[in-house]
Amino acid sequence: MTTEDISRVPHSVFSLDAVPVAEQFDVWRESIGCLFEVDVPKERRAEGFRAELDAHVIGDLAMARTHTQAQEWARSSATIARDGMDHLMIQIYEAGTMEFTHRGREQVFGQDALVVFDLAQEMRSRTSDFTNLSLLLPRPLIEPLLKQAGDRHMQIISAPGNPLARLLIDHVTALKSLASGMSLSQATEASAATLALTAACLNASKSEDGQGEAGIAFALLVRARQRIAEHLRDPDLSPARVARLSGVSRTRLYEMFEPFGGVLAYIREQRLRLALRMLIDHRFAERPISAIAADCGFANDSAFSRAFRARFGTTARDMRAAPAWAHRSGREFDRDLDRRYEEWIRLLSA
């Protein structure tokens, strides 16, 4: 692997070419598990599996072109609670199709359209062999630009007759083709333009239930998450206080955060992700770990240490010295796998 030009945007290409045929699907499932649970019939796994994911980080956004075989995809409540992923994802299919059932309706998604995923919500789908582009947008960056807080999950926006959808498809496609030659400063400008164009497209394509009960419930969840983000560093933040700040009952609050493993689990996950980002950020290299723990809302060092080790499988000190994903070992072919995209996704601005 050649030394990467640090003045250019980060670029990762994950491929199964160096993986033994019998292990290819298992390695793919392990890697893409940073976002989805995937499955194929057991009899097909022995035949080998094809998957390539070419990813860039462009400013505050991440994007990837994925080329792989037919499979089933899911984000279950257990996955959502475990990874705490809180992004919107826009997908564009360049080849192949996706089938899914959402709110009792069976839908087929293919070319010449956009589909929106809310990664904080459950989903299941089936795909043919396909090539697609995925654009990941951290919720705190895109949501303030939206004119309505309606539920966008699994919304399909067709390009024919919709100039903004066509413009966004063309923009994302061009952005991916130009990304490797882009400087970090150019990427910052490009990410801002991409967020604005995505928001314009979504604002012009109303969600189905932005005004109904589901839309109201989603708006309440958005407000509760915003209040948590605003008070995350306060060690006294409790479910009761979140409920008061959000204007909902504790019973309603508990129901809203059940997919995340509960309110306290959601707060702890957000604090741990903030701590992780600070630990590997050179700007905080001289800041004591105890101070970072306090900055992230942990009442004491021991509580932080236990939670951090349980979540990331290592100590905060060891993570700062060498991030856990920097050294993969065990299987001979691991050294030939570029899996950096997994951590880029996890560490997107939140």
Side-chain angles (χ1 to χ4, degrees):
M1 197 175 297
T2 59
T3 302
E4 189 168 9
D5 182 353
I6 60 174
S7 68
R8 300 292 174 180
V9 300
H11 183 206
S12 167
V13 180
F14 171 87
S15 171
L16 297 172
D17 289 348
V19 179
V21 169
E23 299 183 59
Q24 286 176 338
F25 177 73
D26 288 338
V27 172
W28 166 245
R29 180 169 57 184
E30 177 183 292
S31 180
I32 200 63
C34 66
L35 278 173
F36 295 106
E37 306 156 47
V38 296
D39 198 16
V40 299
K42 289 184 179 180
E43 59 271 17
R44 285 180 44 205
R45 300 179 192 179
E47 302 170 359
F49 194 79
R50 185 184 71 254
E52 181 176 289
L53 192 149
D54 183 314
H56 287 91
V57 176
I58 300 177
D60 293 317
L61 315 178
M63 66 185 314
R65 174 175 278 113
T66 304
H67 179 61
T68 187
Q69 293 178 229
Q71 58 201 285
E72 295 183 355
W73 304 72
R75 273 187 69 78
S76 65
S77 58
T79 298
I80 293 167
R82 183 180 67 248
D83 66 27
M85 203 71 69
D86 199 21
H87 310 317
L88 292 189
M89 181 171 69
I90 308 290
Q91 281 195 342
I92 301 164
Y93 271 56
E94 298 176 318
T97 59
M98 175 179 69
E99 300 177 9
F100 63 91
T101 300
H102 186 59
R103 298 196 179 99
R105 292 173 54 192
E106 293 185 3
Q107 301 194 58
V108 178
F109 173 77
Q111 291 81 56
D112 219 23
L114 305 161
V115 63
V116 184
F117 295 88
D118 184 333
L119 296 182
Q121 297 195 51
E122 296 180 54
M123 61 77 64
R124 291 188 178 277
S125 68
R126 299 171 303 281
T127 57
S128 65
D129 294 4
F130 72 84
T131 301
N132 73 11
L133 282 172
S134 297
L135 176 67
L136 282 93
L137 310 153
R139 189 184 304 277
L141 299 183
I142 186 65
E143 235 164 33
L145 304 179
L146 301 179
K147 293 180 180 179
Q148 60 178 16
D151 188 352
R152 303 281 181 174
H153 188 45
M154 307 307 290
Q155 180 182 4
I156 294 175
I157 304 173
S158 296
N162 188 331
L164 284 176
R166 168 57 57 205
L167 187 59
L168 182 56
I169 290 172
D170 292 346
H171 173 82
V172 172
T173 303
L175 188 61
K176 186 67 178 72
S177 68
L178 297 170
S180 291
M182 195 174 290
S183 68
L184 294 176
S185 60
Q186 290 170 335
T188 298
E189 299 298 329
S191 68
T194 303
L195 282 163
L197 182 54
T198 303
C201 179
L202 294 180
N203 286 333
S205 307
K206 293 183 179 180
S207 59
E208 294 180 2
D209 45 20
Q211 306 301 322
E213 178 61 29
I216 294 171
F218 190 77
L220 291 174
L221 176 60
V222 169
R223 183 165 63 188
R225 285 192 300 226
Q226 289 173 339
R227 299 298 173 265
I228 289 172
E230 291 166 2
H231 298 272
L232 190 62
R233 298 169 186 259
D234 184 351
D236 295 324
L237 185 64
S238 64
R241 188 175 177 202
V242 174
R244 289 196 301 272
L245 291 169
S246 306
V248 299
S249 68
R250 276 189 285 181
T251 299
R252 183 71 180 269
L253 187 76
Y254 292 146
E255 291 174 351
M256 288 159 50
F257 281 89
E258 186 176 353
F260 301 93
V263 187
L264 287 175
Y266 179 84
I267 293 172
R268 182 174 61 250
E269 175 67 20
Q270 299 310 304
R271 286 173 171 166
L272 287 170
R273 292 178 69 196
L274 175 59
L276 176 61
R277 289 195 298 276
M278 292 179 71
L279 284 167
I280 64 175
D281 190 330
H282 65 88
R283 294 173 298 176
F284 301 100
E286 302 302 321
R287 190 157 183 76
I289 290 176
S290 59
I292 288 178
D295 289 343
C296 296
F298 287 92
N300 57 70
D301 291 352
S302 59
F304 170 70
S305 297
R306 288 194 303 271
F308 194 91
R309 180 184 281 276
R311 176 64 176 84
F312 299 111
T314 187
T315 66
R317 187 176 306 279
D318 288 344
M319 179 67 77
R320 168 176 271 178
W325 56 89
H327 305 288
R328 295 186 181 273
S329 60
R331 299 168 302 199
E332 185 176 342
F333 56 79
D334 276 334
R335 67 177 181 272
D336 296 319
L337 292 175
D338 184 353
R339 294 176 56 171
R340 291 172 296 162
Y341 82 92
E342 299 170 30
E343 295 307 324
W344 296 345
I345 290 172
R346 295 186 181 106
L347 297 175
L348 282 179
S349 299

